Amino acid sequence: MRLLATSDLHFNHPRSRQGAIELIAQINSQKVDVLLLLGDTAIADAAHLEDCLNLFTFKGPRLFVAGNHELWTRGGDSYEMLTAELPARVKAAGWQWLQSHPFVLGDAAIVGSVGWYDYGFAVARLGIPKRFYEAKISPGAAERHTEFSYLFEQTADISSIGRETFARWNDGRFVRLGRSDEVFLDELLATMERQLESLRHVPRVLVATHHVPFHELMPPPSAPQWDFAKAFLGSPRIGELVRRYPNVRTVLAGHTHMPGEAQVDGIRAIEIGGGYRTKRYVIVEV
């Protein structure tokens, strides 16, 4: 099975749209068996998602995985979007909603999930307490907003680096799950585990998650505001799960906007690495 995968098209973003259109034109000319979109195709509050999906002319199986941006909403319920609205819209556009049902072709299969995060990749040197990650704002930025005063009911556990770190993760503004990030990830991992168990008889399995499953695919150390964001790039628990299945030969991820590849316990792990300005796709044999 020859799979083409891309991620992070961000079709609704003004500085990203033209690059996405050009990449889609390139993809439409490729000779592959299966096409996969691995999250952050477009926000789902408007018709941007369908506008993007309809540009693809590929006639074979088309697989879709949501990213965190598909869950952004200004007034809706992100959990309802993921479990009901988005699957219906994606299927109506002629794509398979991979989150619910793995794709199987011959002796190979593809499992997909948005993935999510539990702050397992938080950078310890920043010395930022968990409550700030839960609020998705760094101490330096939180001090500027009175609505986050509750985060400073104690201060002894906040490092000087943390107080000088100014960053926000916009999922805090636009994702409404009605549950904690950890509980949400628990649910997603339980679904993935059930799917992987059902595919134990399949010789070759590829796992595709929008969020990063392995530390080896994380971006290198950077300035504190960028290192703060690493807590929201994925979870090592995703990788711990897929490593339990010897038939998982390949793992794809998106979200970081930085391409990379690593061998992790015999698994070929690939970060696609597309972003707002630079678009990328990969072709892999499953």
Side-chain angles (χ1 to χ4, degrees):
M1 183 197 309
R2 186 170 164 85
L3 169 72
L4 186 152
T6 189
S7 68
D8 298 275
L9 294 178
H10 294 287
F11 189 75
N12 56 285
H13 198 285
R15 75 171 187 258
S16 186
R17 181 186 296 264
Q18 186 58 39
I21 291 172
E22 292 171 1
L23 185 79
I24 292 168
Q26 295 177 36
I27 290 172
N28 286 337
S29 68
Q30 297 298 311
K31 304 297 183 184
V32 294
D33 300 312
V34 182
L35 172 63
L36 168 66
L37 295 186
L38 192 48
D40 283 5
T41 299
I43 60 171
D45 259 358
H48 303 295
L49 180 59
E50 285 85 351
D51 291 343
C52 184
L53 296 181
N54 291 335
L55 290 178
F56 289 91
T57 59
F58 178 73
K59 301 302 182 185
R62 300 184 295 181
L63 315 178
F64 185 93
V65 173
N68 57 308
H69 278 233
E70 273 81 26
L71 303 188
W72 281 21
T73 176
R74 293 192 178 275
D77 182 324
S78 299
Y79 191 79
E80 178 72 14
M81 289 169 65
L82 182 69
T83 56
E85 178 187 337
L86 275 169
R89 291 170 60 183
V90 166
K91 292 173 186 176
W95 294 69
Q96 177 175 329
W97 180 254
L98 201 59
Q99 181 88 29
S100 300
H101 298 94
F103 175 78
V104 181
L105 182 64
D107 59 358
I110 301 171
V111 172
S113 175
V114 61
W116 218 247
Y117 44 78
D118 58 358
Y119 331 126
F121 287 136
V123 177
R125 75 173 181 87
L126 297 181
I128 295 176
K130 181 181 177 181
R131 62 186 180 275
F132 288 92
Y133 291 112
E134 292 173 333
K136 300 178 177 63
I137 189 168
S138 68
E143 285 185 306
R144 299 179 174 183
H145 300 275
T146 57
E147 67 265 34
F148 294 108
S149 59
Y150 70 94
L151 297 173
F152 297 94
E153 291 176 358
Q154 60 173 326
T155 59
D157 58 349
I158 307 172
S159 73
S160 59
I161 296 177
R163 299 295 281 262
E164 296 170 1
T165 300
F166 299 89
R168 294 189 75 168
W169 190 252
N170 275 330
D171 285 358
R173 296 173 173 174
F174 302 121
V175 175
R176 298 172 174 85
L177 293 170
R179 55 196 29 81
S180 70
D181 294 315
E182 293 100 322
V183 168
F184 184 46
L185 180 61
D186 285 343
E187 295 179 23
L188 296 169
L189 291 178
T191 298
M192 183 184 292
E193 183 175 14
R194 287 193 297 271
Q195 294 176 356
L196 290 171
E197 283 291 332
S198 74
L199 296 170
R200 280 190 177 274
H201 66 286
V202 177
R204 295 185 304 279
V205 174
L206 180 146
V207 171
T209 66
H210 179 69
H211 289 77
V212 177
F214 299 122
H215 182 271
E216 289 84 349
L217 294 181
M218 291 289 288
S222 187
Q225 64 266 30
W226 296 112
D227 280 346
F228 175 76
K230 290 177 181 175
F232 312 106
L233 295 186
S235 169
R237 291 176 58 208
I238 307 171
E240 291 166 5
L241 173 60
V242 300
R243 281 200 297 263
R244 287 165 38 194
Y245 294 86
N247 58 345
V248 175
R249 309 288 184 84
T250 308
V251 172
L252 298 180
H255 193 41
T256 72
H257 297 188
M258 297 184 66
E261 183 168 343
Q263 287 289 324
V264 183
D265 294 340
I267 296 172
R268 183 188 182 194
I270 301 170
E271 164 60 52
I272 297 173
Y276 289 105
R277 296 191 181 276
T278 302
K279 307 298 179 184
R280 299 184 75 251
Y281 65 81
V282 298
I283 296 176
V284 296
E285 295 288 342
V286 184

